Amino acid sequence: MKKIELINMKVRNFKGFKEFELAANGKNVQVFGDNATGKTTLYDAFLWCLFGKDSKDSTKFSWKPLDQNNQEIHHLETEVVLELLIDGEEIEFSRMNKEKWTKKRGSNAETFEGHDATYRIDGLKQTQIKFKKRIEEIVNEETFKQITNIYYIAETMPAKERRKMLFSLVEDLTDIQVIESNKELTPLLDILGKHSVEDKRQMIAEERRNINKDLDNIPQRIDEVDRSINPDLTEANRLSLEDEKTSRETELAKNEQELASKTNGTYLTNKRSELTTKVAELEADKSNYTIKQNEKIAGLQSGKQIVYEQAMSAQNEVLEEEKRISSLKTDIESEKSYISRLQQEKESLRNKYISIRDNNFPDFDEHKTTCQFCNQDLPVEQQATIKETYQKEREAFNLNRASELEQINEQGTSLSKEEEVHEELLQDLKNQAADTTELDKRIKVRDDLKSQHTAIIKQIEAIQNNATPFTETEQYKKKITEIEAIKQEIITIQTGDDKELQSQKEVISNIKLSINQLNEQLYEYVLSEKQEARKQELIEEEKLLSVKFGELDQQLYLLDEFIRTKVDLLTSKINAKFNYVDFKLFEEQINGGLKEVCEVTVKGVPYSSGLNNAARINAGLDIINTVTEINQINAPIFIDNAESINDLLAVQSQTITLSVSKDKDLKMEVVK
């Protein structure tokens, strides 16, 4: 295991330190001091030397010493020198920053231009790239922070990165391993097939949504069919009509038999029988013609119902798309309002910038170099002091103004970048809202279906209004010609009018007419039975979809249980790596779903709430122990707020404890 130990650290002009030396000699060190005496600054200096960051992992922190008015002290060199022992080899790293001041042509005033940094390894000056590369060869920055800062992983490290780090500690589980660990998940072997758990879950969720949509539409479709069924067509009425038809057919047969018995002669009887047959055929042809016309209308009625259901579904899709576009327009107005506020803030900063920029330090008053009582020039030394004081005040004023202008520029730049982001978002929302392709497509589908529905209605009306009367058909004309010929032949045979026979014929004709009317009424029951059959089809479809919906719900439950099982297994494997802490990696939601989290806990108490400082420190040490063991490298651990704990967890690394005491100056003790 690689071992890094701190031998010595010298700090010069860093934050609150003017000069300080921490002589650890590779041993554990205890540092004591009152609040604000610089305990945490030691770790800041340690990290700044190596990585240019403080203990909060930030590069933007104030490392310059401050005067009594909390103003930065300029023209100082800030330096930290680290003497480390790395696997028995001593290496010295140092970083020094100093301010860079320049005079512009034609001006005696110096202007602050930034900082120059000097990097050294074992006293030899290095470029920043070589300096960083040498440190990286020893240990990368991320690992170093993890094994030296007890608060880094639990507090500073983003939860997403913390989860990624933890999962890298253990091998991932295959789907088969998870299923075999829980017998309840065995059906997933057949359900998954060649798909992954996530892909299968998406497929089932999509199928479930489609079925749910169909289940929502079926009751409306059933209602449409149900309303098309004539409620007056009862079974009792149908039986009554059939009984009446049977009765009328019996009456017809009786009258025809009587008519035949009243005729004289075989030839005449045959002719009359032939005439009766022809008339019956004509009536049958008429009845069949009527039935065929009604069947044409019945097919169109069924088609009209189907197109109507499709049009209603298309209308719902149009409403959904219109709702989506309306939501986009609401988002657009919200973005416009936010961009307006950003522009107002920028304008305010612009006015502030102009005000500060145009505010100049007053010119030197030459009267200050003469005595206010006798108007004689003051001594040269006194004049020089007055001018030097004026020059320092003017330089301080200009530095402060430059700093304020720089801050305003940074704020303006930040607002401009944010405005650009939201302008892009606004344009994207506008583009989406302006793109009505999908809406137009759905409207066209709906309108096409409406047009089809209207066309069918007109077709039905045309058939009903424009159907050729049976009496105008060729079939009727041919048959009536044959009948008239037979009638004429019978009249020729007879010597005179037979009024009784004529009356008998009229009775027979009326009976046949009533039978045809009964046939038309009975056909309405045929249509009603077809609609009822369609209704039953929809009901059965609804039952099947409901069963399928339940099966999909069960499959989703198994997939969710799979995720919970895998979560439990991975969590157990990860927590087995630690002795003192556990990690809560998932949180179950109210709806039964799982939310990814990454919370350190000690005996069930969350690190972020309810855990005292002592437990937090030991939690950090336990985490460092594990990370140190896995990475096979240890380094000095800085333990801040160490006064809050009595028993530290045992660690293999060098420790530097920082404890609050009543000492006004830092006191250091090497633990033997």
Side-chain angles (χ1 to χ4, degrees), residues 248 251-252 255-256 258 500-514:
R248 299 299 286 170
E251 185 179 359
L252 175 62
N255 278 276
E256 288 177 340
E258 290 176 354
E500 185 177 354
L501 290 177
Q502 187 64 30
S503 176
Q504 189 80 33
K505 291 177 183 178
E506 291 177 357
V507 171
I508 291 173
S509 179
N510 290 333
I511 293 173
K512 290 181 177 179
L513 179 61
S514 65

Side-chain angles (χ1 to χ4, degrees), residues 282 285-286 289-290 293 462-477:
L282 180 62
D285 290 342
K286 180 180 179 182
Y289 184 85
T290 301
Q293 293 297 318
I463 291 174
Q464 292 174 334
N465 297 331
N466 302 324
T468 303
F470 179 71
T471 55
E472 296 178 8
T473 64
E474 291 298 323
Q475 183 183 14
Y476 173 82
K477 292 177 181 179

